[in-house]
Amino acid sequence: MVNASAVDGKGEDTQDVIQQVTILGATGTIGTQTLDVISQHQERFKVFALTASTNVNGLFELCLIHKPRYAVMLSSEAASALSSQLKQAGLATEV
């Protein structure tokens, strides 16, 4: 279970802060299940970054849906391919 409470800039607990989440292995079973939960609670969570090993097309699809600030691939070749796809789609996600 994820605790969505956070501390605001004044040092006080707040339930209104959106938690930014990084998903390691986003294209795998646990990663996709976690993203499904995040999608159901968009008022509490935002995807900050996604990572994947080699599944460029899978990570590209997840970037289209979740629009993370960052996407990370294991190899430079995969990262280049993902970067090209994201640019063609007009997404601002950095690789």
Side-chain angles (χ1 to χ4, degrees):
M1 183 163 81
V2 175
N3 181 354
S5 68
V7 177
D8 66 12
K10 299 174 188 171
E12 299 175 13
D13 265 353
T14 177
Q15 293 292 324
D16 298 331
V17 175
I18 295 177
Q19 297 293 303
Q20 293 192 38
V21 180
T22 296
I23 306 295
L24 307 177
T27 59
T29 303
I30 294 172
T32 56
Q33 290 173 352
T34 302
L35 288 167
D36 183 49
V37 171
I38 288 171
S39 292
Q40 295 173 34
H41 299 281
Q42 294 179 13
E43 74 284 357
R44 293 175 61 186
F45 303 105
K46 177 174 178 19
V47 176
F48 178 73
L50 298 173
T51 75
S53 180
T54 59
N55 188 347
V56 174
N57 292 331
L59 193 57
F60 172 70
E61 292 297 324
L62 292 174
C63 288
L64 288 175
I65 296 166
H66 298 283
K67 297 177 178 48
R69 179 169 179 166
Y70 299 103
V72 179
M73 300 294 304
L74 181 62
S75 74
S76 59
E77 295 84 13
S80 274
L82 178 63
S83 182
S84 294
Q85 288 183 358
L86 292 171
K87 285 178 186 172
Q88 287 177 352
L91 292 180
T93 301
E94 289 184 49
V95 179

